């Protein structure tokens, strides 16, 4: 795996020409953030050696490199999901490559369903913990000590100082920001009502199909992590009508301007 990571990083560093310090993964419906990047270098996932193509709807499969808030960053516009049929190692390969390029801070965003009545569509939630309910783990298999330790601690996967910084930004800019626990399932079928009830009882505020594998690999790689969810729908506990992909994208768009402020200001301060 190390060889593959180095090959992809070598390919990217030749194209990018600068050392990036922060990575930003954009979730469903959150692509517009990428438009803020100054003079981005755009690289299609298909062109990066060893990197899988994105097949999920509204996930563009583009890596963008450039400056935002005067920081050298890489944006992953569209992520890879376990439900696309890729392995846990394949979906987290991009995080390994970002680390090899020099990134030591990662902002992961996602669209999530709410299991908590206080978190409603359009709200932004800082992840303060997660539950890995995907039935798998990207670190299964032989551990390469050069990449990280065999049993990385998950006692605080999301950086508490950065969560506090995010709250200061929200207060200053007058938007609501909550903290919550994100639970990841494999998907792609959405949760039943009974499953939603169970997940809420387990202590989850939000549910989705991503983020957790990336965060596990980031922690394994000694990368500091910020996790941000946009609530795009209430889960099935709260209503009997199914939610649609259109609804999810429309609600993600509602949070757009606050999320843009949050990300721009966080980039300045981390
Ligand atoms: N469940 C799972 N994944 C999701 C949801 C949901 O309700 N909303 C957005 N992603």
């Amino acid at each position: 795996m190390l060889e593959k990571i180095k090959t992809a990083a070598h390919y990217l560093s030749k194209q990018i020409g600068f050392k990036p310090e922060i990575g930003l993964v954009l979730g469903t419906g959150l692509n517009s953030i990428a438009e803020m990047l100054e003079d981005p270098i755009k690289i299609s996932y298909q062109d990066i050696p060893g990197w899988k193509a994105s097949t999920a709807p509204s996930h563009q499969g583009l890596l963008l490199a450039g400056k935002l808030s005067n920081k050298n960053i890489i944006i992953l516009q569209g992520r890879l999901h376990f439900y696309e049929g890729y392995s846990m190692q394949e979906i987290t390969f991009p995080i390994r490559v970002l680390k090899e390029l020099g990134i030591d801070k990662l902002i992961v965003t996602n669209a999530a369903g709410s299991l908590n009545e206080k978190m409603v569509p359009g709200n932004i939630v800082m992840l303060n913990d997660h539950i890995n309910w995907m039935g798998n783990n990207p670190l299964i298999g032989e551990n390469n000590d050069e990449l990280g330790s065999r049993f990385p601690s998950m006692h605080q996967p999301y950086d508490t100082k950065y969560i506090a910084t995010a709250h200061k930004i929200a207060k200053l800019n007058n938007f609501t920001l909550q903290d919550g626990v994100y639970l990841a399932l494999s998907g792609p079928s959405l949760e039943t009502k009974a499953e939603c009830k169970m997940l809420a009882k387990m202590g989850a505020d939000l549910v989705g199909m991503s983020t957790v594998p990336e965060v596990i690999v980031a922690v394994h790689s000694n990368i500091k992590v910020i996790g941000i969810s946009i609530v795009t729908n209430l889960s099935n506990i709260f209503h009997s009508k199914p939610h649609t992909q259109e609804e999810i994208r429309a609600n993600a768009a509602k949070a757009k301007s606050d999320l843009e402020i949050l990300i721009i200001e966080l980039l300045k301060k981390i």
Side-chain angles (χ1 to χ4, degrees):
M1 178 154 73
L2 202 54
E3 205 52 36
K4 263 177 77 180
I5 295 166
K6 284 190 195 284
T7 304
H10 181 69
Y11 171 85
L12 287 172
S13 64
K14 273 204 306 199
Q15 313 263 327
I16 294 168
F18 63 74
K19 185 176 171 290
E21 63 174 300
I22 304 171
L24 170 61
V25 182
L26 296 179
T28 305
L30 305 174
N31 281 329
S32 68
I33 310 278
E35 285 153 24
M36 300 187 298
L37 211 55
E38 297 153 32
D39 303 325
I41 297 160
K42 295 185 182 180
I43 303 164
S44 184
Y45 287 1
Q46 280 116 294
D47 296 335
I48 310 169
W51 195 300
K52 298 292 175 188
S54 181
T55 69
S58 98
H59 283 257
Q60 299 197 356
L62 270 184
L63 179 149
L64 295 103
K67 261 197 198 307
L68 192 57
S69 301
N70 216 24
K71 296 272 169 71
N72 286 334
I73 74 165
I74 286 187
I75 295 185
L76 302 185
Q77 198 178 29
R79 55 154 55 87
L80 306 170
H81 300 83
F82 193 45
Y83 66 71
E84 292 174 78
Y86 296 134
S87 71
M88 281 278 166
Q89 285 77 17
E90 284 168 336
I91 64 172
T92 52
F93 180 72
I95 308 301
R96 298 280 185 208
V97 176
L98 294 188
K99 172 71 184 186
E100 181 67 23
L101 286 169
I103 278 174
D104 60 3
K105 293 170 210 112
L106 182 71
I107 305 176
V108 278
T109 65
N110 62 50
S114 173
L115 301 158
N116 179 334
E117 59 189 5
K118 294 196 188 90
M119 297 175 188
V120 297
N123 278 175
I124 305 177
V125 181
M126 294 305 292
L127 306 190
N128 60 7
D129 210 342
H130 71 223
I131 298 173
N132 177 14
W133 208 245
M134 295 182 100
N136 211 319
N137 190 302
L139 305 182
I140 288 176
E142 195 183 336
N143 187 62
N144 185 330
D145 294 337
E146 276 189 57
L147 297 178
S149 70
R150 172 75 288 187
F151 301 111
S153 167
M154 289 288 149
H155 83 282
Q156 188 60 65
Y158 303 90
D159 192 279
T160 46
K161 271 203 216 131
Y162 293 161
I163 294 174
T165 307
H167 281 286
K168 280 188 201 140
I169 294 167
K171 207 165 171 196
L172 218 68
N173 291 279
N174 263 321
F175 61 86
T176 307
L177 188 67
Q178 301 178 75
D179 288 344
V181 174
Y182 177 89
L183 182 144
L185 298 163
S186 72
S189 55
L190 287 153
E191 307 73 46
T192 64
K193 275 190 217 154
E195 285 165 346
C196 289
K197 273 190 209 159
M198 172 190 76
L199 302 178
K201 278 192 187 150
M202 281 164 63
D205 298 300
L206 302 164
V207 59
M209 305 174 191
S210 69
T211 304
V212 167
E214 293 154 8
V215 172
I216 291 173
V217 166
V219 172
H220 185 243
S221 311
N222 205 17
I223 295 175
K224 287 197 172 144
V225 180
I226 297 175
I228 307 173
S229 280
I230 305 304
V231 180
T232 53
N233 56 279
L234 294 171
S235 82
N236 280 333
I237 333 176
F238 301 111
H239 56 92
S240 51
K241 258 194 355 217
H243 40 265
T244 62
Q245 283 298 311
E246 288 69 41
E247 184 189 340
I248 288 179
R249 276 193 282 276
N251 284 324
K254 270 193 209 163
K256 182 177 170 264
S257 64
D258 293 342
L259 184 67
E260 285 178 2
I261 295 170
L262 180 59
I263 288 178
I264 287 175
E265 293 303 315
L266 269 173
L267 288 172
K268 288 181 195 163
K269 295 181 170 70
I270 64 174

